[in-house]
Amino acid sequence: MKMRVLGKNLKVSAVGLGCMGFSHAYGAPMEREETIRLLRRAADMGYTFFDTAEVYGTAQDPHVNEELVGEALAPYKNRVVIATKFGLKFDLESGTVPYPLIPDSRPETIRKAVDGSLSRLKMDHIDLYFQHRVDPEVSPEEVAEVMADLIREGKITHWGISEANEEYLRRAHRVCPVTAVQNRYSMMARHYEALFPTLEELGVSLVAFSPMANGFLTGRYGKGEHFDQKYDYRASMPQFTDQAVDQNQKLLQLLHHMADEKKATPAQISLAWMLCKKPWIVPIPGTRREERMEENAGAADVVLSAGEVQALDEALDHMEMSAVFGGTAVKK
């Protein structure tokens, strides 16, 4: 697979693998052996960038995702970059799915979290350590100071912020340079494009999560979809309703038309659109299927000209779309 550089010097595959769905939010957790097989298969395909978090688990086993990633990729540890995250927990007692989010980026919490993640990932350092959500009770400077300490101690080599805005990013970056922000970004969720000039100015990259709008932009979902209310967040996502399928027909037609032109798939076009927009964007689609891993990796080979990207942007600017899932509520 083609490669890209996050920040100044963190080299990763142009398309990464979001690992959350193996154990969280997209159905009942997968069998351990199959998850490990798929993670290793991804590494063999050329994926070198894997994204997890300490909270991507279940109520019974809250850290299982990191454990699975650590076990699966142990034989590849010198060839892969693993990103994980701190500073968040789920409100499992709320009775609400998706679970509300509770941020906690106190220095003592971060230090406990990093040691736990290192142990579960079976690594002596974390390649890219993301603050999972901004904690309104802790300043960006205080978080960045802890990151600088962890870099000096050799526990992490790069850090980033998920769902960062400009002010928070600038304040944190002044204390300890940020390598990447991990923000929601897709054809249906483009509000973070306003941050792009700041990212270019600071030399900070974008790791795009939910780059296919939670799978909707694959074009494989129609009316009458049913998702597990207990385990699958898509059951409450507005883009998967029957009404939304009607509202999004022009978007789906746009994807299919470009896919036909490029001898690609709608999923690949939705990824190539951002890959060809900026050289510092790396999407991290998740999947539970080997054939989808191959398809997503192939997006790195789909070439869209600057004019084609601009034409897609202009079409999106003037297109009716349904609401799209924008994340779960953050509590404090």
Side-chain angles (χ1 to χ4, degrees):
M1 197 191 301
K2 294 178 180 177
M3 305 295 286
R4 296 203 158 188
V5 175
L6 298 177
K8 292 184 177 179
N9 57 11
L10 187 59
K11 191 175 182 181
V12 299
S13 52
V15 178
L17 180 64
C19 300
M20 179 182 74
F22 292 121
S23 59
H24 182 81
Y26 287 88
M30 288 187 68
E31 292 291 332
R32 185 179 193 88
E33 293 76 12
E34 178 64 2
T35 298
I36 290 171
R37 185 191 74 80
L38 287 170
L39 285 164
R40 290 177 177 171
R41 181 72 187 101
D44 290 336
M45 285 180 196
Y47 284 88
T48 70
F49 185 36
F50 296 80
D51 180 84
T52 182
E54 66 171 346
V55 293
Y56 290 162
T58 66
Q60 297 74 31
D61 196 352
H63 305 306
V64 66
N65 201 270
E66 280 188 329
E67 292 169 356
L68 289 165
V69 170
E71 180 176 347
L73 298 180
Y76 302 84
K77 65 170 56 179
N78 295 324
R79 294 162 42 191
V80 300
V81 168
I82 297 177
T84 192
K85 308 180 194 74
F86 68 88
L88 193 67
K89 61 182 178 180
F90 296 116
D91 180 4
L92 301 177
E93 307 301 320
S94 67
T96 301
V97 177
Y99 300 123
L101 308 176
I102 303 174
D104 181 357
S105 287
R106 292 171 296 171
E108 59 270 27
T109 301
I110 298 172
R111 289 196 162 276
K112 181 179 179 181
V114 71
D115 289 337
S117 291
L118 285 168
S119 175
R120 290 185 290 270
L121 291 170
K122 304 180 187 298
M123 301 179 71
D124 60 9
H125 70 275
I126 293 168
D127 301 302
L128 180 54
Y129 202 35
F130 281 109
Q131 182 182 20
H132 208 155
R133 288 293 185 276
V134 168
D135 183 345
E137 301 299 320
V138 182
S139 73
E141 290 84 1
E142 190 170 7
V143 174
E145 286 169 1
V146 178
M147 295 300 106
D149 288 342
L150 295 179
I151 290 171
R152 283 191 291 268
E153 294 164 17
K155 292 187 175 183
I156 70 173
T157 58
H158 303 78
W159 84 288
I161 309 162
S162 186
E163 297 283 64
N165 60 35
E166 180 179 355
E167 180 188 4
Y168 192 94
L169 172 61
R170 286 187 180 279
R171 289 173 61 184
H173 188 77
R174 279 195 289 267
V175 176
C176 183
V178 175
T179 291
V181 297
Q182 184 177 138
N183 288 359
R184 185 182 303 275
Y185 183 55
S186 73
M187 286 182 165
M188 295 184 76
R190 297 172 59 202
H191 49 285
Y192 278 119
E193 288 182 354
L195 190 62
F196 284 9
T198 302
L199 298 179
E200 292 194 310
E201 175 194 339
L202 300 179
V204 176
S205 297
L206 172 66
V207 174
F209 75 86
S210 297
M212 290 184 282
N214 308 99
F216 185 83
L217 297 176
T218 63
R220 296 189 177 91
Y221 296 92
K223 292 184 178 179
E225 299 289 347
H226 294 285
F227 301 101
D228 188 318
Q229 293 280 347
K230 180 178 180 182
Y231 291 110
D232 198 323
Y233 285 11
R234 288 171 294 184
S236 61
M237 292 183 184
Q239 67 265 39
F240 292 102
T241 64
D242 286 356
Q243 180 184 9
V245 173
D246 288 333
Q247 289 178 293
N248 294 320
Q249 280 307 302
K250 289 185 178 179
L251 172 59
L252 295 174
Q253 289 168 7
L254 178 71
L255 281 168
H256 280 288
H257 177 72
M258 182 62 77
D260 289 342
E261 282 191 7
K262 296 294 180 178
K263 295 181 172 55
T265 67
Q268 289 173 331
I269 295 302
S270 69
L271 296 175
W273 164 78
M274 64 179 69
L275 286 166
C276 296
K277 181 175 289 193
K278 299 291 183 182
W280 39 262
I281 295 177
V282 175
I284 51 167
T287 183
R288 294 177 165 207
R289 298 173 62 181
E290 185 174 333
E291 61 268 30
R292 296 287 84 81
M293 287 181 185
E294 293 179 353
E295 179 182 357
N296 295 342
D301 296 319
V302 177
V303 178
L304 303 179
S305 69
E308 288 170 327
V309 171
Q310 184 177 358
L312 286 172
D313 281 347
E314 290 175 354
L316 295 170
D317 285 340
H318 299 93
M319 187 175 291
E320 179 189 0
M321 295 183 197
S322 73
V324 64
F325 181 67
T328 46
V330 176
K331 298 176 68 176
K332 189 61 183 178

Short mmCIF file of all heavy atoms in Angstrom, two decimals, residues 200-239:
data_model
loop_
_atom_site.label_atom_id
_atom_site.label_comp_id
_atom_site.label_asym_id
_atom_site.label_seq_id
_atom_site.Cartn_x
_atom_site.Cartn_y
_atom_site.Cartn_z
N GLU A 200 -2.63 22.89 8.13
CA GLU A 200 -1.53 23.12 7.19
C GLU A 200 -0.50 24.07 7.78
O GLU A 200 0.71 23.86 7.64
CB GLU A 200 -2.08 23.65 5.87
CG GLU A 200 -2.89 22.60 5.13
CD GLU A 200 -3.15 22.97 3.68
OE1 GLU A 200 -3.60 24.11 3.44
OE2 GLU A 200 -2.93 22.11 2.81
N GLU A 201 -0.96 25.10 8.46
CA GLU A 201 -0.05 26.07 9.08
C GLU A 201 0.84 25.40 10.12
O GLU A 201 2.06 25.65 10.18
CB GLU A 201 -0.87 27.19 9.72
CG GLU A 201 -0.02 28.18 10.51
CD GLU A 201 -0.87 29.07 11.41
OE1 GLU A 201 -2.09 29.24 11.15
OE2 GLU A 201 -0.31 29.61 12.40
N LEU A 202 0.25 24.53 10.93
CA LEU A 202 0.98 23.92 12.05
C LEU A 202 1.71 22.63 11.66
O LEU A 202 2.49 22.11 12.46
CB LEU A 202 0.02 23.63 13.20
CG LEU A 202 -0.72 24.83 13.80
CD1 LEU A 202 -1.66 24.37 14.91
CD2 LEU A 202 0.26 25.87 14.33
N GLY A 203 1.42 22.10 10.48
CA GLY A 203 2.03 20.83 10.09
C GLY A 203 1.41 19.65 10.82
O GLY A 203 2.09 18.65 11.11
N VAL A 204 0.13 19.75 11.12
CA VAL A 204 -0.60 18.70 11.82
C VAL A 204 -1.46 17.94 10.81
O VAL A 204 -2.12 18.55 9.95
CB VAL A 204 -1.50 19.30 12.94
CG1 VAL A 204 -2.34 18.22 13.60
CG2 VAL A 204 -0.63 20.01 13.96
N SER A 205 -1.49 16.63 10.90
CA SER A 205 -2.25 15.82 9.96
C SER A 205 -3.65 15.52 10.50
O SER A 205 -3.94 15.72 11.68
CB SER A 205 -1.52 14.51 9.68
OG SER A 205 -0.27 14.76 9.05
N LEU A 206 -4.51 15.02 9.59
CA LEU A 206 -5.86 14.62 9.96
C LEU A 206 -6.01 13.12 9.80
O LEU A 206 -5.81 12.57 8.71
CB LEU A 206 -6.89 15.33 9.09
CG LEU A 206 -8.34 14.85 9.24
CD1 LEU A 206 -8.88 15.18 10.63
CD2 LEU A 206 -9.24 15.46 8.16
N VAL A 207 -6.34 12.44 10.88
CA VAL A 207 -6.76 11.05 10.83
C VAL A 207 -8.29 11.07 10.83
O VAL A 207 -8.90 11.49 11.81
CB VAL A 207 -6.20 10.25 12.02
CG1 VAL A 207 -6.77 8.84 12.03
CG2 VAL A 207 -4.68 10.22 11.98
N ALA A 208 -8.88 10.65 9.73
CA ALA A 208 -10.32 10.79 9.54
C ALA A 208 -11.05 9.54 10.00
O ALA A 208 -10.90 8.47 9.41
CB ALA A 208 -10.63 11.06 8.07
N PHE A 209 -11.84 9.68 11.09
CA PHE A 209 -12.63 8.52 11.50
C PHE A 209 -14.06 8.66 10.96
O PHE A 209 -14.50 9.75 10.59
CB PHE A 209 -12.60 8.31 13.01
CG PHE A 209 -13.42 9.24 13.87
CD1 PHE A 209 -14.76 8.97 14.11
CD2 PHE A 209 -12.84 10.34 14.47
CE1 PHE A 209 -15.52 9.81 14.93
CE2 PHE A 209 -13.58 11.18 15.29
CZ PHE A 209 -14.93 10.91 15.51
N SER A 210 -14.74 7.53 10.86
CA SER A 210 -16.05 7.46 10.19
C SER A 210 -15.98 8.07 8.79
O SER A 210 -16.86 8.86 8.41
CB SER A 210 -17.14 8.14 11.02
OG SER A 210 -17.32 7.49 12.25
N PRO A 211 -14.96 7.70 7.99
CA PRO A 211 -14.79 8.34 6.68
C PRO A 211 -15.85 7.95 5.67
O PRO A 211 -15.98 8.61 4.63
CB PRO A 211 -13.40 7.86 6.24
CG PRO A 211 -13.25 6.53 6.89
CD PRO A 211 -13.90 6.70 8.24
N MET A 212 -16.62 6.90 5.96
CA MET A 212 -17.71 6.50 5.08
C MET A 212 -19.06 6.66 5.77
O MET A 212 -20.01 5.94 5.48
CB MET A 212 -17.50 5.07 4.57
CG MET A 212 -16.34 4.98 3.60
SD MET A 212 -16.09 3.36 2.88
CE MET A 212 -15.27 2.51 4.23
N ALA A 213 -19.12 7.63 6.70
CA ALA A 213 -20.37 7.92 7.42
C ALA A 213 -20.95 6.66 8.03
O ALA A 213 -22.11 6.32 7.83
CB ALA A 213 -21.39 8.61 6.51
N ASN A 214 -20.07 5.95 8.77
CA ASN A 214 -20.45 4.72 9.48
C ASN A 214 -20.91 3.63 8.52
O ASN A 214 -21.70 2.76 8.88
CB ASN A 214 -21.53 5.01 10.52
CG ASN A 214 -21.16 6.15 11.45
OD1 ASN A 214 -21.60 7.28 11.25
ND2 ASN A 214 -20.31 5.88 12.43
N GLY A 215 -20.38 3.67 7.31
CA GLY A 215 -20.67 2.64 6.32
C GLY A 215 -21.72 3.02 5.31
O GLY A 215 -21.87 2.35 4.29
N PHE A 216 -22.45 4.10 5.53
CA PHE A 216 -23.52 4.47 4.61
C PHE A 216 -23.00 4.75 3.21
O PHE A 216 -23.65 4.41 2.20
CB PHE A 216 -24.28 5.70 5.13
CG PHE A 216 -25.47 6.05 4.28
CD1 PHE A 216 -26.68 5.40 4.44
CD2 PHE A 216 -25.36 7.00 3.28
CE1 PHE A 216 -27.76 5.70 3.63
CE2 PHE A 216 -26.44 7.31 2.47
CZ PHE A 216 -27.64 6.66 2.64
N LEU A 217 -21.80 5.34 3.11
CA LEU A 217 -21.27 5.73 1.81
C LEU A 217 -20.73 4.56 1.00
O LEU A 217 -20.28 4.75 -0.13
CB LEU A 217 -20.19 6.81 1.98
CG LEU A 217 -20.69 8.13 2.57
CD1 LEU A 217 -19.53 9.10 2.80
CD2 LEU A 217 -21.74 8.77 1.67
N THR A 218 -20.80 3.37 1.55
CA THR A 218 -20.47 2.20 0.74
C THR A 218 -21.56 1.95 -0.30
O THR A 218 -21.33 1.22 -1.28
CB THR A 218 -20.35 0.93 1.60
OG1 THR A 218 -21.61 0.66 2.22
CG2 THR A 218 -19.28 1.11 2.68
N GLY A 219 -22.75 2.51 -0.08
CA GLY A 219 -23.86 2.30 -1.00
C GLY A 219 -24.52 0.94 -0.85
O GLY A 219 -25.33 0.54 -1.69
N ARG A 220 -24.21 0.25 0.23
CA ARG A 220 -24.73 -1.11 0.40
C ARG A 220 -25.94 -1.18 1.32
O ARG A 220 -26.43 -2.28 1.61
CB ARG A 220 -23.63 -2.02 0.92
CG ARG A 220 -22.48 -2.19 -0.06
CD ARG A 220 -21.50 -3.27 0.37
NE ARG A 220 -20.46 -3.44 -0.64
CZ ARG A 220 -19.30 -2.79 -0.64
NH1 ARG A 220 -19.03 -1.94 0.34
NH2 ARG A 220 -18.41 -2.98 -1.59
N TYR A 221 -26.41 -0.04 1.80
CA TYR A 221 -27.53 -0.05 2.73
C TYR A 221 -28.75 0.60 2.08
O TYR A 221 -28.65 1.68 1.50
CB TYR A 221 -27.17 0.68 4.03
CG TYR A 221 -26.07 0.00 4.80
CD1 TYR A 221 -24.74 0.35 4.62
CD2 TYR A 221 -26.36 -1.02 5.70
CE1 TYR A 221 -23.72 -0.28 5.30
CE2 TYR A 221 -25.35 -1.67 6.40
CZ TYR A 221 -24.04 -1.29 6.19
OH TYR A 221 -23.03 -1.93 6.88
N GLY A 222 -29.88 -0.06 2.18
CA GLY A 222 -31.11 0.47 1.63
C GLY A 222 -32.19 0.53 2.68
O GLY A 222 -31.93 0.55 3.88
N LYS A 223 -33.42 0.55 2.23
CA LYS A 223 -34.55 0.62 3.15
C LYS A 223 -34.73 -0.72 3.87
O LYS A 223 -34.34 -1.77 3.37
CB LYS A 223 -35.82 0.98 2.40
CG LYS A 223 -35.82 2.40 1.85
CD LYS A 223 -37.16 2.71 1.18
CE LYS A 223 -37.20 4.15 0.68
NZ LYS A 223 -38.48 4.47 0.02
N GLY A 224 -35.29 -0.62 5.05
CA GLY A 224 -35.61 -1.83 5.80
C GLY A 224 -34.43 -2.45 6.52
O GLY A 224 -34.49 -3.61 6.93
N GLU A 225 -33.35 -1.69 6.72
CA GLU A 225 -32.20 -2.23 7.44
C GLU A 225 -32.54 -2.39 8.92
O GLU A 225 -33.23 -1.55 9.51
CB GLU A 225 -30.99 -1.31 7.30
CG GLU A 225 -30.51 -1.11 5.87
CD GLU A 225 -29.85 -2.33 5.28
OE1 GLU A 225 -29.53 -3.27 6.04
OE2 GLU A 225 -29.66 -2.36 4.06
N HIS A 226 -32.06 -3.45 9.50
CA HIS A 226 -32.29 -3.69 10.93
C HIS A 226 -30.95 -3.94 11.61
O HIS A 226 -30.16 -4.76 11.16
CB HIS A 226 -33.22 -4.90 11.14
CG HIS A 226 -34.60 -4.67 10.62
ND1 HIS A 226 -35.53 -3.88 11.28
CD2 HIS A 226 -35.22 -5.12 9.50
CE1 HIS A 226 -36.66 -3.85 10.59
NE2 HIS A 226 -36.49 -4.60 9.50
N PHE A 227 -30.71 -3.22 12.69
CA PHE A 227 -29.48 -3.35 13.45
C PHE A 227 -29.82 -3.70 14.90
O PHE A 227 -30.85 -3.29 15.42
CB PHE A 227 -28.67 -2.05 13.40
CG PHE A 227 -28.30 -1.61 12.02
CD1 PHE A 227 -29.02 -0.61 11.38
CD2 PHE A 227 -27.24 -2.20 11.35
CE1 PHE A 227 -28.69 -0.19 10.10
CE2 PHE A 227 -26.90 -1.79 10.07
CZ PHE A 227 -27.62 -0.78 9.43
N ASP A 228 -28.92 -4.42 15.52
CA ASP A 228 -29.10 -4.85 16.90
C ASP A 228 -29.17 -3.64 17.83
O ASP A 228 -28.21 -2.87 17.94
CB ASP A 228 -27.93 -5.76 17.29
CG ASP A 228 -28.10 -6.42 18.65
OD1 ASP A 228 -28.56 -5.74 19.60
OD2 ASP A 228 -27.75 -7.60 18.77
N GLN A 229 -30.30 -3.45 18.49
CA GLN A 229 -30.50 -2.27 19.34
C GLN A 229 -29.52 -2.24 20.51
O GLN A 229 -29.17 -1.17 21.01
CB GLN A 229 -31.94 -2.26 19.87
CG GLN A 229 -33.00 -2.04 18.82
CD GLN A 229 -33.16 -0.58 18.44
OE1 GLN A 229 -32.64 0.31 19.11
NE2 GLN A 229 -33.85 -0.33 17.34
N LYS A 230 -29.08 -3.40 20.97
CA LYS A 230 -28.21 -3.46 22.14
C LYS A 230 -26.76 -3.21 21.78
O LYS A 230 -26.04 -2.54 22.53
CB LYS A 230 -28.35 -4.83 22.81
CG LYS A 230 -27.48 -5.01 24.05
CD LYS A 230 -27.70 -6.37 24.70
CE LYS A 230 -26.83 -6.54 25.94
NZ LYS A 230 -27.01 -7.89 26.56
N TYR A 231 -26.31 -3.73 20.65
CA TYR A 231 -24.88 -3.72 20.36
C TYR A 231 -24.46 -2.84 19.18
O TYR A 231 -23.27 -2.59 19.00
CB TYR A 231 -24.40 -5.15 20.05
CG TYR A 231 -24.41 -6.09 21.23
CD1 TYR A 231 -25.33 -7.13 21.30
CD2 TYR A 231 -23.50 -5.94 22.27
CE1 TYR A 231 -25.33 -8.01 22.37
CE2 TYR A 231 -23.49 -6.81 23.34
CZ TYR A 231 -24.42 -7.84 23.39
OH TYR A 231 -24.41 -8.70 24.45
N ASP A 232 -25.43 -2.41 18.37
CA ASP A 232 -25.05 -1.74 17.12
C ASP A 232 -25.57 -0.30 17.12
O ASP A 232 -26.77 -0.06 17.07
CB ASP A 232 -25.63 -2.52 15.93
CG ASP A 232 -24.95 -2.17 14.62
OD1 ASP A 232 -24.60 -0.98 14.44
OD2 ASP A 232 -24.76 -3.08 13.78
N TYR A 233 -24.63 0.64 17.17
CA TYR A 233 -24.99 2.06 17.21
C TYR A 233 -25.77 2.50 15.97
O TYR A 233 -26.48 3.50 15.99
CB TYR A 233 -23.73 2.92 17.33
CG TYR A 233 -23.09 2.94 18.70
CD1 TYR A 233 -23.47 2.06 19.71
CD2 TYR A 233 -22.08 3.86 18.98
CE1 TYR A 233 -22.87 2.10 20.96
CE2 TYR A 233 -21.46 3.90 20.23
CZ TYR A 233 -21.86 3.03 21.21
OH TYR A 233 -21.26 3.06 22.44
N ARG A 234 -25.62 1.78 14.85
CA ARG A 234 -26.31 2.18 13.63
C ARG A 234 -27.83 2.13 13.79
O ARG A 234 -28.56 2.77 13.02
CB ARG A 234 -25.87 1.31 12.45
CG ARG A 234 -24.45 1.60 11.99
CD ARG A 234 -23.96 0.59 10.98
NE ARG A 234 -23.84 -0.74 11.58
CZ ARG A 234 -23.35 -1.80 10.94
NH1 ARG A 234 -22.94 -1.67 9.69
NH2 ARG A 234 -23.25 -2.97 11.54
N ALA A 235 -28.30 1.40 14.79
CA ALA A 235 -29.75 1.33 15.02
C ALA A 235 -30.34 2.70 15.33
O ALA A 235 -31.54 2.92 15.12
CB ALA A 235 -30.04 0.35 16.17
N SER A 236 -29.51 3.62 15.82
CA SER A 236 -30.01 4.96 16.16
C SER A 236 -29.38 6.06 15.32
O SER A 236 -29.52 7.24 15.63
CB SER A 236 -29.75 5.25 17.65
OG SER A 236 -28.36 5.22 17.94
N MET A 237 -28.71 5.69 14.23
CA MET A 237 -28.07 6.69 13.38
C MET A 237 -29.05 7.16 12.30
O MET A 237 -29.62 6.33 11.58
CB MET A 237 -26.81 6.13 12.73
CG MET A 237 -25.69 5.88 13.72
SD MET A 237 -24.18 5.27 12.89
CE MET A 237 -23.15 4.96 14.33
N PRO A 238 -29.22 8.46 12.14
CA PRO A 238 -30.26 8.98 11.25
C PRO A 238 -30.05 8.63 9.78
O PRO A 238 -31.03 8.56 9.02
CB PRO A 238 -30.22 10.49 11.48
CG PRO A 238 -28.85 10.76 12.03
CD PRO A 238 -28.50 9.55 12.84
N GLN A 239 -28.81 8.42 9.34
CA GLN A 239 -28.58 8.16 7.92
C GLN A 239 -29.07 6.79 7.46
O GLN A 239 -29.12 6.52 6.25
CB GLN A 239 -27.11 8.35 7.56
CG GLN A 239 -26.14 7.34 8.15
CD GLN A 239 -25.50 7.83 9.43
OE1 GLN A 239 -26.16 8.46 10.25
NE2 GLN A 239 -24.23 7.55 9.62
#
